[in-house]
Amino acid sequence: QKAAQNLKPIVPIKFHISSRTDTGVHALCNSAHLDIQRAPGKPAFTEKQLIYSLNYHLKPEPIRILNAYRVTDSFHARFSALSRTYIYRLVMGCAHYSQIPVFEKDLCWAPGGGYLNVPAMQDAAQFLVGTHDFSTFRSLNSETPFQSPVRTILQADIRPSSGFLSHHYEHRGLEFWELRFRSRSFVYRQVRRMVGALVAVGQGRLAPHHIKELLEIKDSRAFPPNAMAPPAGLFLKSVEY
């Protein structure tokens, strides 16, 4: 928003962001919309001019504008979104968090207990797909009384992944996995709770059918204590329109 104000609009600019994330969560890509009103006689910025100018003023910040598009007045970055895709990165084979590769620090989670039972996690993830009351899988906040806990999960899968430069340290025997979730919207901390429950299945602390039972209980207090996944492994991958 500050960078856009440097473009000398005649009306103050407000960014409308598509999605908010918890502290410590990353975004590979996010979307926002803004209106720029220039002085009379000045032409509208082209998409390329806008990208270059905003990035020039964002140089010190850990954020870059990747694309810009002209949209209709009815478009809204948050409310026009059809779905949002999050990925969560796990690394297996680390006996202690200090064994996470230094280039992966704060970019993945190494759950305790060594390797996880991935097939059991994949079976459990299928209970999350579809339309459910996710009361058990949300953390409570000030907005809870005003939001429906019902959400539709379009995708929940677990697949092998790769680490940064991991082919250079194959001898360490580390395994990287990605959990991917897609929905139009999520309740507060839902993805981190779903990941934590699936990891508990992978560790043998829960059975796959327990995920179905947690959904049916519809009570956030029934969620296993201290099971929520930490924010560092979570990434907003994309917002679809």
Side-chain angles (χ1 to χ4, degrees), residues 125-146:
Q126 295 317 299
F127 289 116
L128 298 169
V129 176
T131 302
H132 306 285
D133 182 319
F134 282 95
S135 291
T136 307
F137 288 88
R138 70 172 171 181
S139 295
L140 304 181
N141 66 2
S142 59
E143 296 177 7
T144 300
F146 311 105

Side-chain angles (χ1 to χ4, degrees), residues 22-183:
D22 300 341
T23 300
V25 175
H26 314 283
L28 297 169
C29 188
N30 205 343
S31 307
H33 79 264
L34 71 162
D35 297 308
I36 299 182
Q37 193 170 335
R38 303 197 73 191
K42 290 204 168 187
F45 287 110
T46 66
E47 284 93 337
K48 279 188 175 180
Q49 285 174 329
L50 198 57
I51 293 169
Y52 178 85
S53 301
L54 288 174
N55 282 335
Y56 176 82
H57 294 293
L58 286 168
K59 274 195 290 191
E61 304 294 338
I63 183 171
R64 292 294 176 268
I65 308 301
L66 304 177
N67 290 295
Y69 306 93
R70 193 176 304 282
V71 292
T72 63
D73 286 343
S74 61
F75 177 85
H76 194 286
R78 180 180 175 189
F79 301 116
S80 300
L82 299 176
S83 64
R84 293 160 174 86
T85 300
Y86 282 88
I87 61 169
Y88 196 99
R89 300 182 67 241
L90 297 174
V91 58
M92 303 180 200
C94 296
H96 189 262
Y97 71 85
S98 62
Q99 295 177 0
I100 296 174
V102 66
F103 295 112
E104 292 284 356
K105 184 178 180 291
D106 298 328
L107 298 175
C108 59
W109 178 29
Y115 291 90
L116 304 173
N117 182 345
V118 175
M121 294 169 65
Q122 291 168 328
D123 290 343
Q126 295 317 299
F127 289 116
L128 298 169
V129 176
T131 302
H132 306 285
D133 182 319
F134 282 95
S135 291
T136 307
F137 288 88
R138 70 172 171 181
S139 295
L140 304 181
N141 66 2
S142 59
E143 296 177 7
T144 300
F146 311 105
Q147 287 186 334
S148 167
V150 177
R151 294 292 186 273
T152 300
I153 299 294
L154 303 169
Q155 179 184 17
D157 58 34
I158 304 167
R159 59 184 69 175
S161 184
S162 60
F164 182 69
L165 297 175
S166 58
H167 57 286
H168 287 295
Y169 49 85
E170 289 174 343
H171 63 282
R172 293 189 56 187
L174 302 182
E175 289 183 14
F176 288 86
W177 292 81
E178 273 184 14
L179 290 77
R180 182 179 303 229
F181 302 94
R182 184 164 61 90
S183 174

